[in-house]
């Protein structure tokens, strides 16, 4: 914490952190945080951290009675789908996602009419209603694997157009795209990356998330999910890194790598940013906001998420 959270902020956060720990013990609760959460959450109060796939797996494995999701709404819904008997809380109900908002279940039904027989692979950054209309879900760390697991010549991939294009570039399966975008990653440009490369005389490793536009990914040295990017830094320990993803992640990763210089164009996700330490405290204190999934869609949505997890288990992952 000391490496990333300024000392002046400790006094205001510390009582909340202590109260959260007390409430976690009282309620048999865990806090699962996404890699994009602010460092005081990621390093201060989270019990488990990871990318969307890891969060889904951790939610499925935990013995806790209460799961607080420090992330966005679709992540909390996924946790609820995999833990129907547990209480799943999100500290701020407004923590949404531009990708999740880009598509509805009705859109998928129309796509199925237009492309009969083509299975639908849905990125987990979607509502449970959309998942329920899908054959299988995927995350950015298993998208190619999930698409190929279906053995179909053509697959409808949604809602992220750029992740879909990344998948298309890495498989022979024909990919039908939807034009949803992440409001954080769509803003990166290749010119921006080239400017950074020029500024550091080329002595910089560019790591990008596949939600970025293809021309940005073409400039990267490595493309991966948030956890894939963390792993790359862990394994390669480059002297200087440009992380082309949400801004908070560089702070979180830098804690374990004081020897690596993190250069970051700071694009913040306003949805992820809605979650704060005081809101996590209030969430546990008042048991709010409980996330539920209507019975009519929960079964089908769960099946799509569980099928994704089975693809991972199939390769021993
Ligand atoms: P990851 O699955 O790579 O963590 O991505 C989730 C996300 O919301 C990226 O913007
Ligand atoms: Fe959604 Fe983008 Fe925010 Fe991730 S970073 S939660 S994809 S808006």
């Amino acid at each position: 914490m000391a490496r990333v959270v300024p000392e002046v902020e400790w006094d205001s956060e510390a009582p909340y952190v202590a109260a959260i720990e007390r409430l976690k013990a009282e309620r048999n609760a865990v806090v699962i945080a996404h890699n994009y959460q602010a460092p005081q959450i990621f390093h201060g109060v989270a019990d488990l951290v990871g990318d969307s796939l890891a969060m889904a797996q951790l939610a499925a494995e935990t013995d806790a009675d209460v799961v607080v999701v420090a992330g966005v709404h679709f992540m909390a819904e996924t946790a609820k789908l995999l833990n129907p008997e547990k209480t799943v809380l999100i500290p701020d109900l407004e923590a949404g996602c531009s990708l999740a908002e880009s598509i509805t279940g009705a859109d998928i039904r129309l796509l199925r009419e237009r492309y009969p027989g083509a299975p639908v692979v849905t990125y987990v950054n979607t509502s449970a209603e959309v998942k329920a209309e899908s054959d299988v879900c995927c995350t950015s760390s298993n998208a190619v694997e999930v698409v190929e697991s279906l053995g179909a010549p053509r697959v409808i991939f949604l809602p992220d157009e750029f992740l879909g294009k990344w998948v298309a570039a890495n498989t022979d399966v024909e990919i039908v795209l939807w034009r949803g975008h992440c409001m954080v990653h769509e803003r990166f440009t290749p010119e921006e990356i080239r400017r950074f490369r020029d500024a550091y005389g080329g002595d910089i490793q560019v790591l990008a998330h596949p939600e970025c536009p293809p021309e940005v990914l073409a400039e990267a040295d490595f493309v991966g999910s948030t956890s894939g990017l963390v792993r790359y830094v862990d394994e390669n320990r480059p002297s200087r890194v440009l992380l082309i993803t949400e801004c908070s992640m560089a702070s979180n990763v830098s804690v374990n790598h004081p020897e690596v210089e993190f250069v970051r164009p700071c694009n913040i996700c306003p949805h992820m940013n809605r979650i704060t330490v005081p809101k996590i405290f209030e969430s546990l204190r008042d048991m709010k906001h409980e996330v539920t999934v209507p019975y009519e869609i929960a079964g089908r949505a769960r099946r799509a998420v569980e099928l994704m997890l089975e693809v991972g288990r199939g390769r021993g992952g």
Side-chain angles (χ1 to χ4, degrees):
M1 281 269 278
R3 294 204 186 121
V4 274
V5 180
E7 215 170 323
V8 286
E9 288 177 25
W10 294 5
D11 281 351
S12 59
E13 303 274 7
Y16 288 110
V17 173
I20 288 169
E21 290 310 318
R22 228 179 15 251
L23 285 165
K24 278 199 257 183
E26 266 170 38
R27 303 201 186 284
N28 188 25
V30 285
V31 175
I32 302 185
H34 186 259
N35 290 325
Y36 291 164
Q37 288 294 296
Q40 46 273 61
I41 295 173
F42 190 89
H43 291 292
V45 298
D47 301 289
L48 306 161
V49 296
D51 63 5
S52 304
L53 178 61
M55 287 176 84
Q57 286 164 328
L58 294 169
E61 287 160 16
T62 178
D63 291 330
D65 297 316
V66 178
V67 177
V68 180
V69 174
V72 294
H73 194 264
F74 75 80
M75 294 173 175
E77 267 192 342
T78 307
K80 182 65 186 176
L81 288 172
L82 297 173
N83 294 278
E85 75 295 349
K86 289 180 184 152
T87 303
V88 174
L89 304 174
I90 187 159
D92 188 324
L93 270 177
E94 302 289 307
C97 169
S98 63
L99 279 168
E101 279 147 30
S102 73
I103 189 153
T104 64
D107 293 326
I108 300 189
R109 290 193 289 276
L110 284 174
L111 281 167
R112 284 197 192 272
E113 273 173 31
R114 194 180 299 170
Y115 301 97
V120 174
V121 175
T122 293
Y123 193 27
V124 284
N125 296 38
T126 45
S127 66
E129 182 229 354
V130 165
K131 289 184 176 78
E133 295 291 336
S134 312
D135 292 287
V136 59
C137 288
C138 74
T139 72
S140 55
S141 53
N142 61 18
V144 174
E145 201 179 354
V146 168
V147 164
E148 293 188 341
S149 75
L150 296 168
R154 177 157 76 175
V155 162
I156 300 169
F157 187 94
L158 46 91
D160 187 357
E161 180 185 15
F162 299 147
L163 178 60
K165 285 186 171 172
W166 170 250
V167 172
N170 287 282
T171 181
D172 292 332
V173 179
E174 184 193 339
I175 304 292
V176 177
L177 298 166
W178 183 258
R179 295 184 71 175
H181 297 146
C182 162
M183 63 193 288
V184 175
H185 291 90
E186 71 176 349
R187 281 164 46 204
F188 291 107
T189 65
E191 293 75 29
E192 198 177 358
I193 297 179
R194 286 197 286 270
R195 269 200 307 276
F196 279 111
R197 281 208 197 272
D198 289 347
Y200 290 101
D203 177 21
I204 191 163
Q205 290 276 295
V206 179
L207 317 184
H209 194 277
E211 288 172 11
C212 294
E215 55 279 15
V216 168
L217 299 182
E219 297 286 335
D221 298 300
F222 177 76
V223 175
S225 74
T226 55
S227 289
L229 304 185
V230 176
R231 215 164 25 246
Y232 184 94
V233 176
D234 289 345
E235 286 169 6
N236 297 281
R237 295 170 183 272
S239 55
R240 190 178 288 120
V241 154
L242 176 60
L243 276 186
I244 302 296
T245 190
E246 212 270 353
C247 179
S248 304
M249 206 177 89
S251 309
N252 293 334
V253 190
S254 69
V255 168
N256 298 328
H257 294 289
E259 77 288 4
V260 178
E261 182 187 346
F262 288 85
V263 180
R264 37 190 137 150
C266 212
N267 288 1
I268 286 187
C269 173
H271 303 292
M272 289 279 181
N273 234 263
R274 295 186 78 95
I275 311 298
T276 61
V277 171
K279 284 186 194 169
I280 293 174
F281 161 68
E282 285 163 18
S283 175
L284 272 167
R285 184 193 60 192
D286 304 337
M287 295 295 279
K288 68 176 188 187
H289 305 273
E290 186 167 358
V291 174
T292 54
V293 181
Y295 182 76
E296 324 75 79
I297 56 173
R300 286 177 293 135
R302 182 179 306 118
R303 195 170 160 275
V305 176
E306 282 177 347
L307 267 178
M308 167 185 84
L309 297 176
E310 273 167 32
V311 172
R313 278 195 280 275
R315 61 157 168 73

